[in-house]
């Protein structure tokens, strides 16, 4: 094992140099094991920016690494047992039977965390018995508590052994055993562990086996000094002894990195050139507001790109509700990933209230929340006011008198309407009341789950959006999981089933994520560890927040942990977590190359004084400043606070507030708001002067219609580098859209929906799983042994490793929706594989190349044009030397292949065939493309749509003319808009397109260029 130590800046530089072209053959396969998805994304961007070859780099974590090793070891491999609500229920049941502690959900979770720590540390029941008998525990209470705990731990280990699954411990232990001879690991030239500063015993044993048997490189964030005391013993006792070579990576320390070292020295020395700013505010909202203004200053005054700026906090819990809205108002693009309670969604809240209404004795406010909800089936407008004004407090009997209420109106029609509504409300309450005794009854968990699901479906409106339907399905999944408790104990006690469902709904979360390419980052210190930034803002610099105080473990007490550690187990005491806090803050601070702003509250939202963090006090010393005199003391009064920021940083609402609070009259307000005489005002005048021309001029095409010079830079780029199928499709469907994307660089807005995965991310996930599956069956020589059915079963086992429960955060989905999505993905991909395997076997084809880069120069109606693209898959028949080019699509094309090509711009089939025919790639030499096929992932029945070589010959002339003319338009600088259903349906440039401007649209439609395009599409 080759060991590299240093700060993350030095580690990243060395890693990028080695993995890109500097340290290895670009075609070597590399496995990189990392502690987080964010760090993976950061290194992936770094490799791309470095211009290295990343196609051979596989990123992983310890769970996926273990899965890869185990599944490659043979057909008996089992997936990891999900850490879901069933395990919580097992523990609750165990506590109920064997512990003197109350079987509450809080204690259940504490036991679960303690059990996980012991399993991770490889502590067995026997080890705990040895500890008990060691004589180290002196008090009878300690002995009694440990006795109970050992019994519970023993029962837990017995009950988590389930058919078809490996427990957490078994899963990692098998991987460590299989590692030495693993065909999965042997497929990589180098195995790299990057960024771990600590490992559990389970992880370490696997890590140790890999380091001993393979060419492993370890990038360990460690330096001498008090900041790294948390990891010092682990490094010296466990990591360093494994090293064949060890190198301390040296790099000039930035001022923040020096400050990170200085603040934990016994006497803090002044850090030279430390650009640190200290800001005092009152209240959490003021912290976020100040952070937004600091980010704007860094970007606009100091010209630091947003994607080089981070907002850190030890925990984002206090800030996650404000950051999205405050940063949006200030026009700051920000990437974040925050968890919120599922019941925050109105439909989930409705279901929760519906299930709990009977428990709350039909309390009027709860009844109104259910009956007057738009989600209640057959509910009516006005019911909420009737219930609110009825005087009913609760109790089923009170609802009988609703129809007898006096209505103070002379309008008989109004009286009759009230009586009708009151009768319907009463009938609804009585109907609901009949269901609750069944749901509260003792009985089989599965049976009660079916009853609860039917109850929800009976009273929930069927008029739901796709997103709401997904939310409802997520709620049903919780109920179904609770029904699965019957595998643990058949009978639920009275009220137990509904209690478990309501508790699970309350605890369920959904993840809200924004992810843009050039946005700044806002996350907690742990999430951003290992990533570098030019500047940063630190929130929550107060005692109690930083350092975070580790909560005492009420179950696996400190003395037990200390004794286990003393006899050699890799387990941490809670006191050691204070040293981890030092390490995390030092890593965060040293990840910043330049300016840092630290925001602390001198008083809270309630006006009570708050204490600055000890870390902050030390930082002010190293910066040579006094915390009592911060760089910016923001007033608690809004009118004063607005004056303390540069006027140009105020957003629209703040400008309005500033003007209203500080300007004496309307004229002054307008003067302040529009600020006449500046450059912005001149731009506004220029735009207004052009408005009449834009509104009334039709005529011929002009510079407002995408007409630019001949031989423009964009065409020169096409001539030099060529076109990919996706770029050609954009030019094919609408030259104007091609112009927006490539000439004026309009950024495509990120596709995002909380209830579904973005389509491009979903496609990438499909590709990842399919590529790995087909590579696996080819590497294991399984193709000829498979049938459709056996391939489907094999895939079910294989897919688990790529769809772990925690991956929901990567896509910003509700966790429960991620589970539903995974189920659909597995079903769809299994269907594709079951349809595809027989075709491969029948035609003698073998999947041979994946994500394969093709490039060629071909002639189109006399014009030579370079083409390049990434083919999803190429299947080869070695006997006939023919091949099939496969392109995965989400859904099947309903039109004929010819119509799909000419009308919808589905150009991959013909272009890939052309590239392969004209390729000079030695690997492809001698292969004849026989077919290009679109394989639909989300489709039942026939999934493929094929273009055979003979079919292409029939349309070749027309197709080449059509391609040639599109490139002619680019050469002549004629990027006209050509609106159509296919071009506009998913267009990312609707906000800047002029198709809704009548004169522009007339000019485009009446142009000779549009006429020519129509004739080329019709000539097929």
């Amino acid at each position: 094992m080759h060991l590299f130590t240093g700060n993350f800046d030095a580690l990243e530089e060395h890693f990028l140099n080695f993995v890109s072209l500097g340290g290895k053959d670009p075609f070597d396969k590399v496995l990189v094991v990392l502690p987080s998805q964010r760090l993976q994304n950061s290194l992936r961007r770094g490799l791309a920016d470095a211009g290295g070859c990343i196609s051979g780099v596989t990123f992983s974590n310890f769970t996926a690494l273990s899965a890869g090793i185990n599944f490659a070891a043979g057909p008996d491999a089992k997936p990891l047992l999900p850490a879901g609500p069933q395990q919580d229920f097992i523990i609750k049941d165990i506590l109920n039977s064997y512990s003197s502690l109350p079987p509450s959900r809080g204690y259940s979770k504490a036991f679960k965390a303690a059990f996980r720590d012991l399993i991770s540390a490889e502590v067995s029941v026997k080890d705990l018995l040895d500890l008990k008998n060691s004589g180290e525990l002196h008090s009878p209470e300690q002995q009694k508590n440990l006795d109970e705990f050992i019994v519970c731990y023993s029962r837990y280990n017995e009950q988590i052994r389930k058919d078809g699954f490996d427990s957490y411990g078994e899963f990692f232990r098998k991987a460590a055993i299989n590692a030495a001879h693993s065909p999965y690991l042997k497929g990589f030239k180098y195995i790299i562990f990057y960024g771990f500063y600590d490992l559990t015993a389970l992880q370490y044993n696997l890590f140790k086996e890999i380091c001993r048997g393979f060419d492993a490189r370890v990038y360990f964030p460690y330096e001498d000094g008090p900041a790294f005391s948390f990891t010092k013993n682990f490094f010296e006792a466990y990591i360093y002894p494994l090293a064949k070579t060890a190198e301390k990576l040296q790099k000039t320390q930035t001022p923040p990195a020096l400050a990170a070292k200085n603040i934990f020295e016994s006497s803090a020395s002044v850090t030279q050139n430390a650009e640190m700013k200290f800001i005092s505010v009152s209240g959490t909202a003021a912290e976020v507001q100040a952070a937004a203004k600091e980010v704007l200053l860094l970007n606009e005054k100091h010209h630091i790109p947003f994607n080089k700026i981070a907002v850190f906090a030890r925990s984002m819990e206090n800030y996650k509700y404000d950051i999205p809205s405050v940063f949006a108002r200030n026009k700051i693009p920000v990437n974040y990933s925050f968890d919120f309670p599922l019941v925050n969604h109105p439909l989930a809240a409705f279901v929760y209230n519906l299930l709990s209404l009977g428990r709350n004795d039909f309390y009027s406010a709860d009844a109104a929340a259910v009956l007057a909800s738009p989600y209640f089936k057959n509910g009516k407008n006005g019911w909420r006011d009737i219930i609110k004004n009825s005087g009913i407090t609760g109790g089923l009997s009170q609802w009988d008198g609703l129809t007898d209420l006096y209505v103070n109106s002379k309008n008989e029609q109004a009286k009759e309407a009230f009586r009708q509504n009151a009768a319907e409300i009463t009938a609804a309450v009585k109907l609901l009341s009949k269901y609750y005794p069944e749901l509260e009854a003792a009985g089989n968990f599965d049976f009660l789950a079916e009853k609860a699901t039917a109850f929800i479906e009976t009273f929930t409106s069927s008029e739901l959006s796709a997103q709401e339907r997904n939310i409802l399905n997520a709620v049903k999944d919780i109920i179904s999981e609770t029904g699965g408790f019957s595998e643990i104990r058949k009978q639920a006690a009275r009220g137990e089933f509904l209690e478990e469902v309501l508790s699970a709904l309350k605890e369920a979360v959904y993840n809200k994520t924004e992810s843009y390419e050039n946005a700044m980052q806002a996350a907690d210190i742990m999430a951003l560890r290992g990533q570098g930034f030019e500047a940063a803002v630190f929130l929550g610099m107060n005692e109690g927040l930083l350092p975070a105080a580790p909560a005492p473990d009420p179950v696996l007490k400190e003395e037990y942990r200390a004794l286990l550690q003393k006899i050699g187990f890799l387990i941490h005491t809670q006191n050691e977590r204070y040293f981890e806090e030092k390490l995390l803050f030092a890593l965060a601070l040293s990840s910043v190359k330049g300016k840092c702003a630290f925001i602390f509250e001198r008083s809270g939202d309630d006006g009570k004084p708050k204490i600055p963090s000890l870390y902050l006090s030390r930082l002010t010393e190293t910066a040579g400043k006094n915390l009592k005199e911060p760089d910016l003391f923001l007033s608690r009064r809004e009118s004063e606070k607005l004056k303390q920021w540069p006027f140009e940083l105020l957003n629209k609402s703040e400008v309005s507030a500033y003007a209203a609070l500080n300007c004496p009259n309307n004229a002054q307000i307008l003067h302040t708001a529009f600020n006449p005489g500046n450059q912005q005002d001149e731009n506004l005048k220029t735009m207004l002067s052009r408005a009449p021309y834009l509104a009334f001029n039709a005529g011929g095409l002009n510079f407002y219609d995408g007409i630019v010079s001949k031989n423009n830079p964009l065409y020169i780029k096409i001539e030099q580098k060529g076109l990919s199928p996706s770029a050609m499709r954009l030019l094919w469907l609408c030259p104007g859209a091609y112009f927006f994307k490539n000439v004026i660089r309009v950024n495509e807005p990120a596709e995002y929906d909380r209830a579904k995965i973005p389509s491009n991310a979903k496609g990438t996930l499909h590709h990842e799983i399919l590529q790995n599956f087909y590579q696996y069956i080819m590497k294991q020589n399984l193709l000829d042994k498979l049938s459709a059915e056996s391939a489907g079963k094999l895939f079910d086992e294989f897919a688990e490793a790529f769809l772990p429960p925690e991956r929901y955060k990567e896509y910003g989905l509700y966790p429960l929706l991620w589970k539903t999505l995974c189920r659909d993905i597995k079903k769809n991909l299994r269907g594709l594989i079951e349809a595809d395997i027989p075709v491969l076997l029948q035609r003698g084809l073998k999947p041979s190349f994946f994500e394969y880069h093709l490039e060629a120069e071909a002639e189109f109606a006399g014009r030579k044009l370079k083409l390049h693209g990434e083919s999803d898959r190429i299947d080869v028949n070695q006997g006939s030397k023919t091949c099939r080019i496969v392109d995965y699509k989400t859904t099947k094309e309903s039109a004929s292949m010819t119509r799909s090509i000419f009308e919808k711009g589905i150009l991959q089939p013909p272009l890939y065939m052309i590239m392969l025919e004209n390729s000079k790639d030695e690997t492809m030499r001698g292969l004849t493309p026989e077919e290009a096929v679109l394989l639909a992932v989300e489709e039942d029945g026939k999934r493929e749509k094929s273009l055979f070589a003979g079919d292409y010959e029939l349309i070749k002339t027309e197709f080449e003319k059509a391609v040639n003319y599109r490139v002619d338009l680019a050469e002549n600088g004629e990027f006209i808009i050509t609106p159509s259903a296919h071009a506009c349906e998913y267009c990312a440039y609707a906000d800047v397109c002029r198709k809704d401007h009548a004169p522009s649209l007339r000019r485009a439609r009446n142009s000779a260029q549009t006429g020519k395009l129509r004739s080329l599409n019709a000539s097929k």
Side-chain angles (χ1 to χ4, degrees), residues 728-982:
M728 177 66 82
R729 182 173 193 263
L730 203 58
L731 188 61
W732 185 284
L733 291 176
C734 182
Y738 187 85
F739 178 81
F740 293 139
K741 183 178 177 68
N742 294 285
V743 181
I744 61 173
R745 295 286 181 185
V746 176
N747 291 323
E748 296 186 35
E751 180 189 353
Y752 191 72
D753 187 334
R754 306 280 183 258
K756 69 176 184 179
I757 189 171
S759 57
N760 60 336
K762 189 176 185 181
T764 301
L765 187 56
H766 287 156
H767 283 57
E768 175 190 350
I769 297 171
L770 288 169
Q771 176 181 340
N772 279 277
F773 178 76
Y774 279 105
Q775 285 179 327
Y776 173 75
I777 64 173
M778 295 308 297
K779 188 179 290 185
Q780 301 295 323
N781 294 317
L782 296 176
L783 178 61
D784 295 332
K785 303 170 188 174
L786 293 175
S787 63
E789 183 180 357
S790 63
K793 289 180 179 177
L794 178 63
F795 175 78
D796 283 344
E797 297 175 356
F798 186 88
E800 293 293 333
F802 294 91
L803 299 169
E806 67 273 11
R807 201 170 177 183
Y808 75 93
K809 291 188 176 184
E810 186 178 339
Y811 302 106
L813 296 175
Y814 306 139
L816 295 165
L817 294 181
W818 169 247
K819 183 177 180 180
T820 303
L821 176 68
C822 289
R823 185 175 60 207
D824 292 340
I825 288 175
K826 285 186 276 192
K827 171 181 172 290
N828 288 327
L829 295 186
R830 174 174 176 157
L832 183 148
I833 287 164
E834 288 177 337
D836 191 34
I837 292 292
V839 174
L840 294 171
L841 294 172
Q842 181 184 359
R843 296 175 57 183
L845 293 167
K846 293 189 176 182
S848 303
F849 304 95
F850 304 88
E851 302 296 331
Y852 195 84
H853 182 75
L854 293 171
E855 57 182 51
E857 188 175 75
E859 190 166 303
F860 292 84
R863 174 193 293 278
K864 286 190 176 181
L865 180 65
K866 293 178 182 176
L867 299 171
H868 57 85
E870 304 286 334
S871 172
D872 293 345
R873 199 178 92 206
I874 300 175
D875 302 334
V876 176
N877 184 318
Q878 289 293 352
S880 63
K881 294 297 180 183
T882 57
C883 63
R884 177 178 77 151
I885 306 158
V886 177
D887 195 66
Y888 300 122
K889 293 293 180 188
T890 303
T891 56
K892 190 172 76 174
E893 289 297 323
S894 56
S896 69
M897 181 57 84
T898 303
R899 286 190 60 195
S900 295
I901 292 169
F902 282 92
E903 294 181 13
K904 301 172 76 172
I906 307 299
L907 306 179
Q908 288 92 336
L911 290 181
Y912 281 135
M913 290 183 79
I914 292 167
M915 277 188 260
L916 215 148
E917 278 184 340
N918 292 275
S919 174
K920 295 181 179 178
D921 187 341
E922 287 296 326
T923 308
M924 295 293 137
R925 186 178 296 279
L927 291 180
T928 302
E930 186 179 56
E931 175 192 9
V933 61
L934 304 175
L935 274 186
V937 173
E938 297 178 359
E939 195 71 38
D940 293 322
K942 188 175 172 63
R943 292 172 178 265
E944 68 270 19
K945 179 76 71 173
S946 294
L947 177 69
F948 291 94
D951 296 332
Y952 173 65
E953 287 300 318
L954 298 176
I955 62 168
K956 180 178 180 180
T957 302
E958 287 79 9
F959 180 74
E960 289 183 355
K961 287 179 182 177
V963 170
N964 182 50
Y965 185 65
R966 263 83 176 185
V967 181
D968 271 346
L969 292 178
E971 182 178 5
N972 294 328
E974 297 169 344
F975 297 100
I976 59 170
I977 58 171
T978 55
S980 70
H982 301 305

Side-chain angles (χ1 to χ4, degrees), residues 85 97 124 144 189 226 257 280 435-436 471 544 584 598 642 644 650 658 735 764 877 883 895 898 939:
S97 302
S124 67
K144 177 178 177 293
K189 179 71 178 290
S280 170
Y435 285 82
Y436 292 109
I471 291 291
L584 288 172
F598 301 92
L642 292 173
Q644 293 179 273
L650 301 184
Y658 179 94
T764 301
N877 184 318
C883 63
T898 303
E939 195 71 38

Side-chain angles (χ1 to χ4, degrees), residues 497-511:
F497 168 78
L498 203 54
E499 177 65 33
E500 291 293 333
V501 170
L502 291 172
S503 296
L505 280 173
K506 226 172 186 178
E507 292 173 2
V509 298
Y510 71 93
N511 181 263

Side-chain angles (χ1 to χ4, degrees), residues 20-157:
S20 58
L21 298 181
K24 67 172 190 63
D25 188 299
F27 296 102
D28 286 340
K29 297 288 185 181
V30 181
L31 175 65
V32 184
V33 185
L34 298 143
S36 74
Q37 183 67 40
R38 282 179 180 269
L39 188 52
Q40 173 183 322
N41 294 339
S42 176
L43 292 182
R44 192 187 292 274
R45 285 193 300 271
L47 286 171
D49 292 343
C53 178
I54 62 173
S55 60
V57 180
T58 298
F59 292 97
S60 187
N61 56 38
F62 265 101
T63 303
L65 170 66
S66 300
I69 293 170
N70 289 343
F71 279 112
D76 296 332
K78 297 176 183 178
L80 177 63
L81 177 69
Q86 283 197 13
Q87 289 199 39
D88 296 336
F89 188 71
I90 287 172
I91 295 171
K92 177 191 161 187
D93 241 20
I94 291 170
L95 295 184
N96 203 31
S97 302
Y98 299 102
S99 175
S100 58
L101 293 170
S104 66
R105 294 185 77 84
Y107 270 116
S108 295
K109 290 186 178 300
F111 270 85
K112 183 178 180 180
F115 292 164
R116 183 65 172 257
D117 282 353
L118 290 175
I119 291 169
S120 296
E122 295 269 43
V123 178
S124 67
V125 173
K126 181 181 179 302
D127 294 323
L128 291 179
L129 288 169
D130 290 343
L131 176 65
K132 175 195 162 189
N133 298 323
S134 66
E136 297 279 359
L137 300 175
H138 303 297
S139 77
E141 185 182 1
Q142 286 179 327
Q143 292 276 359
K144 177 178 177 293
N145 289 340
L146 188 56
D147 276 338
E148 280 191 2
F149 183 84
I150 291 172
V151 172
C152 293
Y153 185 46
S154 176
R155 292 291 299 159
Y156 175 75
N157 279 297

